[in-house]
Amino acid sequence: MELLTAIGIGVLFAAGTYLLLSRNVVRVVLGNSLLAYGTNLMLLASGGLGRGAAPVLVEGVEVYTDPVPQALILTAIVINFGVTAFLLVLAYRMVQEHRSEDLAHLRGVDDE
Amino acid sequence: MNNLVTLPVLLPLATGILLLLLHGRVRAQRLISLLSALGALGLALYLTRVVWTDGIQVVQAGGWAAPYGITLAVDLFSGMMLVLASIIELATLVFLMRDSQLEQERVFLYPVLQFQMVGINLSFVTGDLFNLFVAFEVLLMASYYLLTAGGKPGQLREGFKYLVINSVASTLFLATIALLYGVTGTLNMADAARKVAALAGEPIVTLIAISFLIVFGLKGALFPLYFWLPRSYYHAPPGIAALFAGMLTKVGIYALVRVFTLIFIHDPGFTHTLILAIAGLTMLLGVLGAISQMDVKAILSYHIISQVGYMVKGLGIYTPLALAGTVFYIAHHIIVKAALFLIAGIIVRITGTTDLKRFSGLLASHPGLGLTFLATGLSLAGIPPFSGFFSKFVLLRAGVEAGTWGIVAVSLVVSLLTLFSMIKIYSRGFWGEATGELRPIPRLAYAQVMAPVLLLLTLSVGMGLGAGRFMEFALATAEQLMRPEAYIEAVLGR
């Protein structure tokens, strides 16, 4: 399970980084999201990957999963949702104004 | 337990919500924003005073005991940052109210400004790393809006890059938090400090420390991660640029100082030496970037980078005197930098450009502006009697005492080059024949945009003339930072 999660995180990070480095605006947005997913998995793994137990601690329960990472992931997902939504709108407006979705044309070295 | 600690966050939050309800009623929004900013300033001053007399103030949110709930804690360093944040907020507000270029996006300007302050203030008072992440996101979200509001092509383009870079940095921040949680099982800074102390020497701790350095280095524009700053600040609307230049990068520096004086202090031979080397490179490359530019805003943006190097240098030397220098420098820099960006905003209003090749001779028509710029520029370069001189002097002396001669030499050279580029702006932009088309500002509006600049300049002079008094405060702050046990005890209560 640990190995599988580690590989999964690695793949997400690698794919995210690859997309982030491409010149297309949409790919950059997608890469950003993939990186965030990888991080969420990483948060989950940081609490230890216990199986078959609820994140509840009451009298008499010996085995439980760590509830903190789950709370953190929930927050992180919401934040990422907001940021991605804003990013998409911004990308759309930018493409509209500049009539190009190729970041090589959006370097902006000489000014408008 | 002191609920006062929550107010610097709650006040702007409540104001922001109220302003949303007053949608479209600009006059009311202005008045309430101003009152709120004044209230925040008074609150921050009072809070700092309480910390000064009674020690570190702590609140456990919701009454959950320390390592489990979210801790809010204010020590002298946080207190000072809160005061500075509200001063800059006030100056920015007064300036923005006269900036007619922002007419069309006034709709959400004031509420979002308040949410920006929520994020900034929360990152100063929080004692919890995940909460710090949330605070960063709040302030970034607001900054995305403020940077792109108006929708000019350049703003959208640079805003997109700014957003992507900051989003990646936040992702890294979260990943680092996951690592730290995996290793120590805590997110509370004070508790993490204790757990990390028990793990001192483990390679994973160094890995986490360096990850934090990268994350905060990106936010605070340290070498080699400063590349995003000049262009995005260049395109920010004038008043907003002052707020960003004054406060935003400094939030990253605050977090860096906090983490590397509280949690990762057990291997200074590696971490703090690395920070020192980075500081030197940041200073040097930032100022070289500034020299190569021919635009007032671009020059000022590069100077932010070079000066972030100065602040971090004190952290790298890591003695009480050096940290006091860092504290002094941060205070000086925030005030002076915001003033300079406001002046750049006024120049844009008058000449329509900040390109030094396209205007000159402003001194003849606007002597007040010219002299104010000269004074502020000299303060930035470190000429007495302004605050810049004393803050640099303290850092130099700390460097000499610690025997770090390399960094002392670099900072002297950088100072000289800073002076050079300030004089370049002054001699090209203000001296000489008046060229370019001038659009004179009405007298009243001129007075109103100059007022915040003069206020900030007065503060800089005051900090210079009262350097002894302020140094006392800076030394006490550094003392607190150098002895994290007090902070840990105040938070964990044992």
Side-chain angles (χ1 to χ4, degrees):
Chain A
M1 192 67 186
E2 272 79 7
L3 186 68
L4 206 63
T5 318
I7 292 173
I9 296 170
V11 168
L12 279 173
F13 263 78
T17 311
Y18 174 74
L19 287 175
L20 206 60
L21 293 176
S22 64
R23 281 160 49 173
N24 185 297
V25 169
V26 181
R27 282 174 168 230
V28 170
V29 177
L30 286 176
N32 189 44
S33 295
L34 281 189
L35 276 184
Y37 296 149
T39 313
N40 288 345
L41 265 185
M42 201 163 155
L43 271 174
L44 191 68
S46 73
L49 294 166
R51 295 178 76 179
V56 184
L57 181 59
V58 283
E59 288 290 320
V61 174
E62 293 288 312
V63 186
Y64 64 96
T65 352
D66 189 347
V68 175
Q70 307 190 8
L72 302 187
I73 292 169
L74 192 65
T75 317
I77 288 175
V78 174
I79 290 174
N80 187 251
F81 170 74
V83 172
T84 308
F86 193 97
L87 189 57
L88 280 170
V89 174
L90 187 60
Y92 178 69
R93 284 280 291 123
M94 180 181 72
V95 171
Q96 246 185 355
E97 289 286 338
H98 288 275
R99 294 169 195 251
S100 167
E101 48 181 30
D102 186 346
L103 281 169
H105 297 150
L106 296 169
R107 289 181 57 206
V109 176
D110 56 330
D111 243 90
E112 64 276 340
Chain B
M1 193 60 83
N2 188 343
N3 279 322
L4 209 59
V5 173
T6 57
L7 286 183
V9 182
L10 293 182
L11 178 66
L13 187 64
T15 314
I17 293 169
L18 183 66
L19 293 183
L20 280 181
L21 297 177
L22 290 170
H23 178 71
R25 298 174 62 180
V26 174
R27 261 170 202 282
Q29 287 196 348
R30 282 178 181 175
L31 185 68
I32 293 172
S33 299
L34 257 190
L35 288 178
S36 166
L38 280 172
L41 179 60
L43 185 68
L45 282 170
Y46 178 67
L47 194 57
T48 312
R49 198 181 153 69
V50 170
V51 175
W52 178 260
T53 48
D54 303 344
I56 298 168
Q57 299 295 312
V58 179
V59 166
Q60 313 291 358
W64 293 85
Y68 306 110
I70 291 171
T71 303
L72 302 178
V74 174
D75 64 354
L76 285 176
F77 190 35
S78 325
M80 182 189 82
M81 296 306 281
L82 288 173
V83 172
L84 290 167
S86 41
I87 291 174
I88 301 303
E89 182 196 4
L90 202 59
T92 312
L93 266 175
V94 175
F95 184 88
L96 281 174
M97 284 175 194
R98 263 296 158 194
D99 208 47
S100 58
Q101 288 165 332
L102 288 167
E103 205 71 68
Q104 74 258 36
E105 62 266 16
R106 272 253 168 78
V107 218
F108 288 115
L109 176 69
Y110 295 114
V112 176
L113 205 64
Q114 292 298 325
F115 293 130
Q116 172 98 77
M117 296 314 293
V118 172
I120 291 175
N121 286 353
L122 182 60
S123 46
F124 294 148
V125 300
T126 189
D128 182 282
L129 280 165
F130 190 76
N131 205 227
L132 183 64
F133 165 76
V134 175
F136 272 21
E137 288 305 311
V138 172
L139 80 87
L140 284 174
M141 205 63 191
S143 77
Y144 301 152
Y145 174 83
L146 292 174
L147 187 62
T148 54
K152 296 200 190 95
Q155 277 182 314
L156 294 172
R157 187 184 65 222
E158 298 308 322
F160 180 79
K161 295 172 197 167
Y162 174 81
L163 206 166
V164 170
I165 287 162
N166 274 295
S167 178
V168 171
S170 297
T171 308
L172 282 179
F173 189 10
L174 201 55
T176 312
I177 287 173
L179 278 179
L180 185 74
Y181 186 76
V183 173
T184 63
T186 184
L187 293 166
N188 188 297
M189 290 189 206
D191 198 31
R194 250 184 208 178
K195 299 255 167 68
V196 166
L199 289 168
E202 299 266 345
I204 185 79
V205 171
T206 313
L207 175 75
I208 296 171
I210 298 306
S211 301
F212 273 119
L213 181 59
I214 292 172
V215 170
F216 296 141
L218 241 167
K219 307 261 181 207
L222 286 179
F223 171 85
L225 304 167
Y226 59 71
F227 51 86
W228 57 269
L229 187 142
R231 295 206 64 84
S232 54
Y233 282 18
Y234 180 85
H235 285 279
I240 302 300
L243 179 69
F244 283 16
M247 284 323 292
L248 281 200
T249 39
K250 262 49 75 184
V251 178
I253 300 305
Y254 166 85
L256 193 69
V257 172
R258 176 65 73 210
V259 166
F260 279 92
T261 56
L262 180 64
I263 305 177
F264 303 106
I265 50 171
H266 304 288
D267 191 10
F270 177 69
T271 49
H272 287 71
T273 311
L274 183 66
I275 291 176
L276 195 60
I278 289 175
L281 286 166
T282 312
M283 275 153 69
L284 200 59
L285 291 170
V287 86
L288 289 180
I291 285 177
S292 69
Q293 296 296 320
M294 276 308 278
D295 185 292
V296 177
K297 274 198 282 183
I299 292 175
L300 293 178
S301 300
Y302 273 103
H303 275 302
I304 298 179
I305 298 167
S306 126
Q307 274 149 10
V308 158
Y310 273 99
M311 299 167 203
V312 176
K313 169 188 158 194
L315 178 64
I317 298 172
Y318 200 51
T319 59
L321 188 62
L323 272 177
T326 297
V327 169
F328 203 142
Y329 204 94
I330 290 178
H332 147 74
H333 170 93
I334 289 177
I335 289 170
V336 168
K337 203 81 230 183
L340 283 171
F341 267 86
L342 290 180
I343 292 176
I346 299 174
I347 294 178
V348 174
R349 280 288 299 278
I350 298 172
T351 65
T353 177
T354 48
D355 188 345
L356 284 175
K357 291 181 206 134
R358 282 163 58 194
F359 77 97
S360 65
L362 265 187
L363 195 61
S365 52
H366 297 83
L369 183 68
L371 293 177
T372 313
F373 174 81
L374 184 65
T376 323
L378 290 182
S379 177
L380 189 79
I383 304 291
F386 302 108
S387 52
F389 170 73
F390 294 98
S391 51
K392 282 188 177 164
F393 177 73
V394 173
L395 280 171
L396 270 185
R397 185 158 160 202
V400 170
E401 275 179 16
T404 48
W405 293 102
I407 202 84
V408 169
V410 169
S411 63
L412 283 174
V413 172
V414 170
S415 261
L416 191 66
L417 295 177
T418 309
L419 184 61
F420 167 75
S421 64
M422 284 299 127
I423 295 299
K424 181 167 88 180
I425 297 180
Y426 188 66
S427 63
R428 294 201 66 134
F430 290 95
W431 277 355
E433 291 288 307
T435 55
E437 217 174 295
L438 298 188
R439 288 173 299 177
I441 309 178
R443 188 174 290 264
L444 190 68
Y446 187 57
Q448 200 179 340
V449 287
M450 280 304 279
V453 179
L454 289 175
L455 171 84
L456 294 172
L457 183 62
T458 314
L459 276 175
S460 169
V461 175
M463 268 174 68
L465 294 180
R469 294 286 299 279
F470 191 78
M471 198 54 207
E472 216 174 286
F473 175 82
L475 274 172
T477 310
E479 199 61 41
Q480 246 180 18
L481 290 173
M482 285 300 281
R483 289 193 301 110
E485 303 83 24
Y487 183 94
I488 296 172
E489 232 167 77
V491 171
L492 296 179
R494 61 196 131 83

